[in-house]
Structures are given as C-alpha cells and as structure tokens.
C-alpha cells in the first residue's frame, strides 16, 4: 500500500467527524475535507484544505479525492434529505478507482448485516428495530456495504453501538461477529479509525468496536 500523507475526509463537520479530524491532524496528516457549509466549520489548521460540495455530487467527490492516498468517512443520513449511503459509496468507489486510491475506512451502525455475523439477541433486537422503524435507510446502508464487497478496494467498515460524544477513552472490544458492548466514545472511534487506516488490521472486514 502507498504511504498515506493526505487523507480525504467525509463527514468532518459532524459530531463524530470532528473527533476524527482532530486526531488525524494530531498524527500529522494533511487533510482535504468536503463541506457543504464551510463557513460553519470551526477547526482551523494549515494542514486542512476545504472543498465545498456535497457527497451526492461526483464532481465534488473527485475534486476531494485528488492527490489523496486514503478516504475516511463518518457520513450519516441527514434528516428529511435524500438517501446518502449507497450513492456516497458509488461516488467514492469511482473516484478511488480513477485516482488509484486503495484505502477506505468508514463508520456504520451495528445494524448492518454481514455473512460473518453471529449477533447476540440484544444486537439482533437493535438491528430489527432499525429495519422496522427506518426500512429505507437500513436498505440504503446495506446496499452501500454490498457495493464495497463487490469492489476490489481495501475497505474497512467500522460498526459501533451508542456513541458518547466525549474525550473519555475506554478499553475497547473488537469483534467481527457481534457487538460486545453498549456504547463507545467518539474519541475512541476516531482513534480506531485512524489506526486502522494505516495498519489495515481488518481489511475488507466489518469489525464491531465498543467500550468494555
């Protein structure tokens, strides 16, 4: 894999995304961040380049990915807006192919299913709740996963339970079959994603991570 020095960031203005941006900067990476409303973005750093645009616009994604060696995403569904997961996956995959980018790490809920899961009753209940109450969003997110599986890139889907927006760090459980805990901090999510981006311990896999 190519050495990673510049990272394309999706969802960088979100509640979890801000933790990810700060930890990437702390590790010394240069960032290109796609923002719909750059004027509202509060993190200032000379290693940040802002690209104004939307994840649903392939031209914006292509501009974002140019000169980057990895893509990280904490994009989530926007309330009362078009479905975003599958279309984002399509745009990112196409842009990565065009530029020869190999590494993609993205955040997802524990409700996404994979053929390797052995979910506990509690995780199944959470998954079924999502399928019942937000069926279109669930289907869209599952489709995004399927698109990644069909691709040839080095992706990692990080699945998480309830997120605490805090700098507190816990001992983390990582499991490929089930979510072992009920929560995780945004700080720990960001740390895991940054480490996974460079080390690829879970290449083309979907680890659950949670606080113990």
């Amino acid at each position: 894999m190519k050495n990673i020095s510049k990272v394309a960031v999706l969802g960088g203005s979100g509640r979890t995304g801000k933790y990810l941006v700060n930890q990437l900067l702390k590790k010394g990476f240069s960032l290109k961040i796609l923002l719909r409303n750059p004027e509202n973005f509060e993190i200032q750093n000379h290693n940040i380049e802002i690209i104004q645009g939307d994840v649903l616009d392939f031209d914006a994604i292509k501009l974002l990915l140019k000169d980057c060696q990895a893509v990280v995403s904490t994009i989530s569904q926007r309330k009362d807006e078009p479905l975003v997961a599958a279309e984002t996956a399509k745009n990112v995959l196409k842009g990565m192919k065009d530029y020869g980018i190999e590494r993609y790490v993205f955040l997802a809920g524990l409700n996404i299913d994979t053929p390797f899961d052995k979910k506990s009753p509690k995780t199944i209940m959470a998954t079924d709740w999502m399928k019942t109450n937000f069926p279109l969003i669930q289907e869209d997110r599952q489709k995004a996963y399927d698109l990644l599986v069909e691709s040839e890139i080095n992706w990692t889907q990080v699945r998480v339970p309830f997120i605490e927006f805090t700098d507190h760090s816990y001992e983390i459980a990582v499991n490929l079959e089930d979510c072992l805990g009920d929560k995780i901090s945004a700080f720990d999510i960001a740390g895991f994603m940054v480490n996974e981006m460079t080390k690829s311990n879970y290449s083309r896999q979907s680890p659950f991570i949670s606080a113990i």
Side-chain angles (χ1 to χ4, degrees), residues 21 23-24 42 53 66 79 81 85 91 100 131 145 150 158 166 186 200 205:
V21 167
Q23 291 205 36
L24 285 164
E42 298 177 351
K66 189 176 187 298
K79 184 175 171 47
E81 293 201 28
N91 287 340
K131 290 178 179 178
Y145 166 73
E150 292 167 6
V158 181
T166 171
S200 292
Q205 294 179 305

Side-chain angles (χ1 to χ4, degrees), residues 182-200:
D182 298 324
K183 65 181 181 180
I184 190 165
S185 72
F187 181 86
D188 285 337
I189 292 172
F192 182 87
M193 290 181 71
V194 173
N195 185 68
E196 177 60 22
M197 180 186 74
T198 57
K199 294 188 177 178
S200 292

Side-chain angles (χ1 to χ4, degrees), residues 51-110:
I51 304 297
Q52 185 169 8
D54 192 288
V55 294
L56 300 180
D57 178 5
F58 176 67
D59 289 338
I61 290 290
K62 192 162 184 179
L63 185 60
L64 173 74
L65 268 54
K66 189 176 187 298
D67 298 323
C68 292
Q69 296 84 42
V71 185
V72 294
S73 173
T74 57
I75 286 289
S76 58
Q77 180 60 44
R78 306 153 178 164
K79 184 175 171 47
D80 299 324
E81 293 201 28
L83 294 172
V84 72
E87 194 63 28
T88 297
K90 287 179 185 176
N91 287 340
V92 168
L93 286 170
K94 188 174 187 303
M96 292 179 71
K97 184 176 181 180
D98 288 349
Y99 289 124
I101 301 171
E102 299 175 10
R103 193 68 178 114
Y104 182 32
V105 180
F106 64 104
L107 187 64
L110 54 77

